[in-house]
Amino acid sequence: MRRLITAMLVASILLLTLSRTVAILPVYAEPLPEETRKLLEKSLSVVELDREIERISGLKGKTQNHIEKSEKQLAEQEIAIAVQREKAGRVLRSYYMGYKDFWLSSLLSASSLPNLIRVWETMDMILEADHSTMGDYAENYKILKKGYEQLKHEKNDLSAVELDLIAQRERILTLQKELDQALATSDDEKMLQRLMDELQAYWKNVGLYEVKQHFRALANAMKNLPDFVKKTPGIIQSNGLKTKLTITDSQLNEFLRGEDSRFNDFAFKFDNGLLTMEGNNGNITVKIQGRYTIENEPENAIRFHVDTLIFNGLALPDTTRADLEREYDLGFYPQKLIKYVKAQSVEMEDGKLIVQLKIG
């Protein structure tokens, strides 16, 4: 009985702790003062830039390791190809030093048919070996050259990563300096510092997870959009080799809410070239705004790019938006809807997404 009471007390304490943790930074009942909002946005950006620096540092380390492995492999290939080069050189020298004439005279001077056949077979065998040697050298040289091109590409990537790392570090230092100056001149430095600390803790423990969950749910739902389009009358209209796909925002809301119940608290709207998702589930408010573009590499696709991401009234930095784009694919692939079609244009206006498709 004593153990049961103890367990119940521990459970109650845990539940109370969790409820307080989630309630650290609820959806704001009133708008924040503009100066405080900007300060909190900068504080949130510091956390996200720090996360981006960690990601880039990891990428830099992986790229450096790959370059070292590539350089070692290329050095080994150079030794192997040096042997092939010597063999190929011997073959070429034999051609230019008169061995062709030797074989030709041997063929002409054969005294009998069996001798002629033996000379021919021997010559054929040597020529085949020569071709094989030259072919091996050419193939190995091609592989080596491709390896050096790849190594050059990797070193260029590493240089770009290092520049990005320097830029993000400078950016975070500037933001941190601005935060320190704002805190130093504020009337209530302790209150603002506490608010920023709570925001950062809430974002790390709850906010980022919630935002990623919404992006993951969107990405999973988009995989099933072609099936929804096929079975919904009026979305696809064909005229000869041209096909037009028109989805209204009410249809998109119907589709997404049918895919995941969390979208019951959110609304999607097409307008002025943008798709806007906005909602409030009681714990967080999220606004995602972006646009679609046509891309043909590595395949024809309608890609979604996040232009704005607002969490509980605070705008998240570009690094967060780019990171979510990398991790979650919110695009649409026309060839999963109809084979042999390509998207030519995409527009969003008056509550509609309009995609022009062409067979090709």
Side-chain angles (χ1 to χ4, degrees):
M1 184 68 177
R2 186 179 297 170
R3 287 181 180 178
L4 179 61
I5 293 171
T6 303
M8 290 175 67
L9 284 170
V10 170
S12 299
I13 291 167
L14 282 172
L15 286 170
L16 183 60
T17 304
L18 286 171
S19 65
R20 285 178 177 174
T21 301
V22 172
I24 285 175
L25 197 71
V27 175
Y28 300 116
E30 296 178 4
L32 289 168
E34 184 63 15
E35 287 185 7
T36 304
R37 186 186 64 78
K38 286 182 178 179
L39 199 64
L40 290 177
E41 279 185 356
K42 288 179 180 179
S43 173
L44 201 54
S45 293
V46 165
V47 175
E48 283 300 277
L49 286 173
D50 192 49
R51 190 167 69 90
E52 176 68 0
I53 287 169
E54 186 179 346
R55 184 192 72 82
I56 295 172
S57 298
L59 182 61
K60 179 184 174 183
K62 287 179 183 178
T63 307
Q64 283 176 329
N65 290 337
H66 202 273
I67 285 172
E68 288 170 9
K69 287 181 182 178
S70 296
E71 286 176 336
K72 184 179 178 182
Q73 289 171 352
L74 287 170
E76 291 171 353
Q77 284 179 6
E78 280 183 338
I79 294 170
I81 205 170
V83 176
Q84 291 289 335
R85 189 189 301 119
E86 178 57 29
K87 289 181 180 179
R90 285 201 299 270
V91 169
L92 291 172
R93 283 194 297 274
S94 73
Y95 278 93
Y96 284 101
M97 291 175 68
Y99 285 137
K100 288 190 295 182
D101 295 338
F102 168 75
W103 287 113
L104 182 60
S105 63
S106 297
L107 283 171
L108 294 173
S109 63
S111 57
S112 64
L113 183 59
N115 284 340
L116 180 65
I117 291 171
R118 276 197 299 273
V119 173
W120 179 266
E121 287 176 345
T122 304
M123 186 177 70
D124 186 55
M125 183 174 63
I126 291 172
L127 287 172
E128 188 177 339
D130 290 347
H131 287 152
S132 178
T133 299
M134 296 296 289
D136 289 344
Y137 171 71
E139 185 62 29
N140 288 335
Y141 180 77
K142 191 187 295 181
I143 292 170
L144 187 67
K145 187 178 178 183
K146 187 177 179 181
Y148 274 113
E149 287 173 355
Q150 182 63 31
L151 182 62
K152 183 181 177 181
H153 181 68
E154 287 172 359
K155 286 184 175 180
N156 289 339
D157 284 348
L158 182 60
S159 298
V161 166
E162 286 174 338
L163 288 173
D164 195 12
L165 190 58
I166 291 167
Q168 298 301 345
R169 281 176 175 161
E170 289 176 351
R171 193 174 167 190
I172 200 171
L173 287 172
T174 302
L175 271 176
Q176 191 61 59
K177 187 178 178 181
E178 290 175 3
L179 283 173
D180 292 341
Q181 288 174 347
L183 286 171
T185 57
S186 70
D187 296 331
D188 196 341
E189 181 180 349
K190 288 184 179 179
M191 185 275 290
L192 280 174
Q193 185 63 63
R194 179 174 171 273
L195 195 59
M196 287 192 299
D197 291 343
E198 287 179 348
L199 169 64
Q200 291 178 349
Y202 183 81
W203 172 251
K204 288 178 181 177
N205 297 320
V206 179
L208 181 59
Y209 171 81
E210 286 288 339
V211 169
K212 283 194 169 189
Q213 286 294 95
H214 281 79
F215 269 82
R216 184 178 290 111
L218 275 171
N220 289 335
M222 290 304 291
K223 294 175 185 176
N224 299 324
L225 185 59
D227 291 333
F228 176 81
V229 169
K230 286 177 185 177
K231 67 183 183 183
T232 305
I235 290 183
I236 299 175
Q237 297 174 335
S238 295
N239 181 15
L241 295 178
K242 292 185 178 180
T243 299
K244 185 170 76 170
L245 184 150
T246 306
I247 303 177
T248 65
D249 46 27
S250 60
Q251 287 172 327
L252 182 63
N253 280 291
E254 176 193 344
F255 162 68
L256 290 171
R257 288 165 186 169
E259 290 289 314
D260 196 307
S261 61
R262 78 185 68 218
F263 295 127
N264 291 337
D265 300 316
F266 290 82
F268 295 79
K269 182 175 66 174
F270 299 120
D271 196 26
N272 294 325
L274 294 170
L275 167 62
T276 303
M277 183 193 93
E278 195 167 7
N280 177 349
N281 67 3
N283 289 322
I284 64 167
T285 62
V286 174
K287 181 179 180 180
I288 302 168
Q289 197 169 56
R291 61 204 151 74
Y292 284 106
T293 60
I294 305 294
E295 295 182 15
N296 291 307
E297 295 296 336
E299 60 182 307
N300 184 250
I302 304 166
R303 303 261 184 216
F304 184 73
H305 304 280
V306 183
D307 293 332
T308 304
L309 177 58
I310 298 175
F311 165 76
N312 280 7
L314 304 173
L316 288 157
D318 56 329
T319 55
T320 309
R321 302 197 305 266
D323 188 43
L324 291 167
E325 276 189 37
R326 275 190 300 269
E327 191 170 352
Y328 303 105
D329 184 4
L330 305 185
F332 179 69
Y333 299 86
Q335 292 188 0
K336 291 183 179 179
L337 177 65
I338 307 171
K339 285 186 178 181
Y340 312 116
V341 300
K342 283 189 176 183
Q344 285 191 308
S345 66
V346 57
E347 298 174 12
M348 284 172 282
E349 57 183 28
D350 300 327
K352 295 176 183 178
L353 170 71
I354 303 168
V355 180
Q356 298 290 347
L357 303 169
K358 185 178 180 182
I359 292 177

